[in-house]
Amino acid sequence: MGVRLMLFLVAALLLLGVVLGTVAHAPLTVAVAVGAVIAVWLGVFALREHQGRDRGTSAH
């Protein structure tokens, strides 16, 4: 279990580095727009998950 967790953390940090490197080269307006889209997407996902738990079923 510990090895899997470490591999996951390494992969997550690698992906984070790639994403941050890409955002560093993008114009600020593009980075903010993409961030807003991701925030809305995560908000909709959280709302659907919350509603699914209220009904006792999965929102999938």
Side-chain angles (χ1 to χ4, degrees), residues 4-55:
R4 287 183 182 177
L5 179 61
M6 289 302 294
L7 288 175
F8 173 77
L9 290 175
V10 168
L13 287 173
L14 181 64
L15 182 62
L16 180 64
V18 170
V19 170
L20 288 177
T22 303
V23 169
H25 296 288
L28 181 61
T29 54
V30 172
V32 170
V34 170
V37 168
I38 291 172
V40 169
W41 175 39
L42 289 174
V44 169
F45 176 77
L47 184 63
R48 289 185 62 201
E49 285 293 315
H50 182 71
Q51 288 176 348
R53 288 194 181 138
D54 286 347
R55 288 190 306 245

